[in-house]
């Protein structure tokens, strides 16, 4: 029997980031971008800040990359400031029984998140899920030839598969962001779309500043399985083998 490898996203996949965390990240990013634009002598009003954030996401798939490429921002500075929270533990919400569910899924599990290491490790520990993951790959580790390549970079996914010595057909990406699933499917991976935490006005994390959307009423062709929650994965396992 083939050994499966599960690649799990974190925010809005394993927990409800739209509830409190994404709104806080959104505000933190705006403060950071405003400061950078102002220091550079560029327009830094609210409209300019929002325009820069959206433009960089549309162009690069991640606002972080735009800030790095156009403003010489250090990635660690952007990520640190975007993920400042007064009390992260009180902001985390998730369904119960995730640990039991992860134990039931056959194969190894890898956390693959466009969030920074410290934040994602803190969330995993709070949820009690860290022991279930063989590896933790945060955005800082998503580099190709020394340059950041976060999801949905197919170059990064190819490198991950080669480094872990796993076949794409034995890999399952579990995500809330359909654009990430599309690239993975093109590489031959299985794909699972988790929808329960998405809302039309929710904001994806600092490294992937995307308006999460439930515009799709039907499962896209590049999604093998659409589930409301991670808790439904085991019963859908037969469709992913």
């Amino acid at each position: 029997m083939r050994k499966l490898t599960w690649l799990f996203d974190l925010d809005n996949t394993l927990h409800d980031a739209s509830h409190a965390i994404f709104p806080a990240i959104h505000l933190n990013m705006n403060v950071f971008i405003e400061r950078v634009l102002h220091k550079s002598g560029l327009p830094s009003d609210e409209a300019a800040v929002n325009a820069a954030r959206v433009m960089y996401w549309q162009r690069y798939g991640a606002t972080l990359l735009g800030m790095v490429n156009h403003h010489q921002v250090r990635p660690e500075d952007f990520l640190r400031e975007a993920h400042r929270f007064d009390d992260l533990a009180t902001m985390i919400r998730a369904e119960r029984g995730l640990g039991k569910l992860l134990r039931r899924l056959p194969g190894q599990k890898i956390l693959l998140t466009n969030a920074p290491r410290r934040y994602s490790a803190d969330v995993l520990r709070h949820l009690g899920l860290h022991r279930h993951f063989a590896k933790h790959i945060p955005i800082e580790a998503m580099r190709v030839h020394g340059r950041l390549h976060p999801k949905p970079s197919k170059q990064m996914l190819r490198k991950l598969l080669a480094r872990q010595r796993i076949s794409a057909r034995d890999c399952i990406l579990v995500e809330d962001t359909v654009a990430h699933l599309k690239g993975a499917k093109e590489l031959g991976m299985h794909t699972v779309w988790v929808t329960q935490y998405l809302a039309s006005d929710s904001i994806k994390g600092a490294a992937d500043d995307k308006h999460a959307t439930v515009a799709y009423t039907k499962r896209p062709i590049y999604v093998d399985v659409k589930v409301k929650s991670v808790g439904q994965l085991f019963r859908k396992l037969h469709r992913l083998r």
Side-chain angles (χ1 to χ4, degrees):
M1 180 180 293
R2 293 155 38 210
K3 180 179 180 181
L4 297 176
T5 295
W6 299 81
L7 304 177
F8 277 90
D9 178 46
L10 177 65
D11 292 332
N12 271 2
T13 298
L14 292 175
H15 73 111
D16 182 3
S18 290
H19 163 63
I21 292 175
F22 281 171
I25 290 175
H26 180 90
L27 293 176
N28 289 343
M29 283 192 298
N30 278 2
V31 170
F32 185 90
I33 295 171
E34 187 277 332
R35 188 164 65 240
V36 170
L37 294 180
H38 180 75
K39 186 176 180 180
S40 302
L42 298 170
S44 56
D45 56 275
E46 183 179 0
V49 168
N50 287 329
R53 190 186 65 252
V54 172
M55 177 182 68
Y56 293 151
W57 164 65
Q58 290 176 337
R59 181 170 179 179
Y60 298 107
T63 297
L64 169 62
L65 296 185
M67 296 301 294
V68 170
N69 294 340
H70 293 272
H71 304 281
Q72 294 71 56
V73 165
R74 298 198 311 167
E76 57 268 31
D77 292 340
F78 182 86
L79 293 169
R80 182 187 63 252
E81 295 301 315
H83 291 80
R84 283 188 182 276
F85 308 106
D86 293 332
D87 189 356
L88 178 62
T90 64
M91 303 167 73
I92 298 173
R93 288 187 177 183
E95 62 183 311
R96 296 184 178 183
L98 285 180
K100 183 178 180 180
L101 177 277
L102 291 174
R103 281 196 301 271
R104 294 183 71 191
L105 294 176
Q108 70 169 335
K109 291 89 183 178
I110 296 175
L111 187 74
L112 185 69
T113 172
N114 276 3
R117 183 180 301 277
R118 181 174 178 179
Y119 159 79
S120 49
D122 285 347
V123 173
L124 273 191
R125 281 194 296 268
H126 179 81
L127 294 174
L129 300 179
H130 53 288
R131 63 180 67 91
H132 298 289
F133 289 91
K135 292 180 176 61
H136 173 190
I137 303 176
I139 189 170
E140 298 96 321
M142 296 181 187
R143 291 183 177 271
V144 179
H145 304 306
R147 296 178 64 87
L148 279 173
H149 279 263
K151 294 182 291 185
S153 170
K154 288 192 286 187
Q155 289 176 281
M156 179 273 295
L157 290 175
R158 288 192 191 97
K159 182 178 179 180
L160 185 155
L161 292 172
R163 177 169 289 182
Q164 302 301 323
R165 297 182 178 180
I166 52 181
S167 169
R169 70 187 185 94
D170 297 329
C171 223
I172 303 169
L173 179 60
V174 184
E175 270 273 0
D176 67 297
T177 306
V178 288
H180 297 176
L181 295 171
K182 184 176 182 181
K185 188 64 178 177
E186 290 172 355
L187 292 179
M189 295 183 187
H190 299 285
T191 54
V192 176
W193 185 28
V194 180
T195 64
Q196 79 169 334
Y197 299 128
L198 299 185
S200 59
D201 60 349
S202 66
I203 305 296
K204 193 66 175 163
D208 182 28
D209 180 25
K210 174 175 293 187
H211 289 271
T213 178
V214 287
Y216 291 102
T217 56
K218 295 183 179 179
R219 175 173 57 89
I221 192 171
Y222 48 84
V223 170
D224 294 313
V225 171
K226 176 183 174 183
V227 294
K228 181 178 180 182
S229 73
V230 171
Q232 298 176 350
L233 274 178
F234 189 78
R235 72 186 70 169
K236 302 283 188 177
L237 185 59
H238 65 284
R239 297 175 55 185
L240 295 167
R241 290 186 180 276

